[in-house]
């Protein structure tokens, strides 16, 4: 099997895992603060959903050029994926388009204004993991369509291949931002 077929198989499997996970019914009885469900992976500047202030402690926060990236969860799931979620806040002086966060792929120009250029680095294992892609080359991550308006905060997610199970700490690297060291929690 060549690399293209392998990547296609990974993307299809990821889609199926996400579909099944989305269909799972959870019982939130007895929970005073159920987790809010995440919205679509697409956010537009004009319609960007403002996030409520996080009640739980964030895992990491990095700032650069008026943009604040907060990491709220880093979870290894049973399917072999690392799911990272958080928020992005535009503290700059105008709309922010995230164009500097796109990946360097020249053959795939479908990921502009997204977290496609992000990676996870396992320093102990000396490996770098890139954001996963679907069969059309789109990243399995948030695409900030229309940008983020000044003063707004939006949710984001990105999915990566999971490092080996013994790895408990990694660094999230988003282009133009300092590395964010985070701990991995095990999913259900």
């Amino acid at each position: 099997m060549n690399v293209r077929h392998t990547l296609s198989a990974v993307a299809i499997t990821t889609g199926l895992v996400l579909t099944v996970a989305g269909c799972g019914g959870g019982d939130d009885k007895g929970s005073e603060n159920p987790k809010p469900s995440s919205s679509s992976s697409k956010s537009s500047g004009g319609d960007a959903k403002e996030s409520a202030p996080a009640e739980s402690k964030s895992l990491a926060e990095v700032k650069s050029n008026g943009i604040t990236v907060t990491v709220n969860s880093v979870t290894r799931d049973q399917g072999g994926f690392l799911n990272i979620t958080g928020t992005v806040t535009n503290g700059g002086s105008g709309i922010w388009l995230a164009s500097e966060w796109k990946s360097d792929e020249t053959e795939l120009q479908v990921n502009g204004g997204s977290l496609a250029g992000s990676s996870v680095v396992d320093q102990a294992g000396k490996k770098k993991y890139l954001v996963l892609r679907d069969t059309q080359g789109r990243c399995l991550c948030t695409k900030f369509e229309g940008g983020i308006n000044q003063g707004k905060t939006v949710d984001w997610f990105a999915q990566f291949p999971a490092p080996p199970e013994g790895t408990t700490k990694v660094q999230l690297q988003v282009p133009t931002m300092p590395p964010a060291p985070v701990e991995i929690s095990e999913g259900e």
Side-chain angles (χ1 to χ4, degrees), residues 9-186:
V10 168
I12 290 168
T13 303
T14 300
L16 292 172
V17 168
L18 292 175
T19 300
V20 171
C23 294
D27 183 11
D28 290 334
K29 291 180 183 175
S31 173
E32 292 180 12
N33 295 321
K35 288 183 182 179
S37 62
S38 62
S39 60
S40 167
S41 67
K42 297 179 179 180
S43 301
S44 71
D47 299 336
K49 177 183 162 189
E50 259 188 90
S51 297
E55 292 181 24
S56 63
K57 183 181 176 187
S58 65
L59 299 176
E61 182 178 281
V62 291
K63 298 178 182 186
S64 179
N65 300 321
I67 303 300
T68 302
V69 174
T70 303
V71 178
N72 294 332
S73 72
V74 179
T75 308
R76 181 195 327 269
D77 67 22
Q78 293 178 351
F81 304 107
L82 191 66
N83 302 299
I84 305 180
T85 63
T87 60
V88 176
T89 302
N90 179 2
S93 59
I95 194 165
W96 179 73
L97 299 175
S99 59
E100 65 272 11
W101 287 5
K102 69 180 182 171
S103 63
D104 292 332
E105 302 146 331
T106 56
E107 68 278 1
L108 300 173
Q109 293 301 321
V110 295
N111 291 311
S114 70
L115 286 155
S118 300
S119 61
V120 169
V121 176
D122 171 7
Q123 291 183 315
K126 297 182 181 181
K127 282 197 151 192
K128 180 178 183 177
Y129 300 91
L130 304 177
V131 173
L132 292 171
R133 304 290 198 264
D134 68 11
T135 56
Q136 281 80 41
R138 291 184 296 262
C139 72
L140 298 180
C141 64
T142 300
K143 185 171 183 180
F144 303 103
E145 290 184 0
I148 301 174
N149 289 326
Q150 177 183 3
K152 298 292 181 181
T153 297
V154 297
D155 294 330
W156 65 266
F157 81 95
Q159 188 173 50
F160 303 86
E165 287 193 31
T167 303
T168 59
K169 294 181 182 184
V170 292
Q171 285 190 342
L172 173 66
Q173 295 187 326
V174 177
T176 74
M177 305 296 286
V182 291
E183 286 194 42
I184 299 172
S185 64
E186 300 298 322

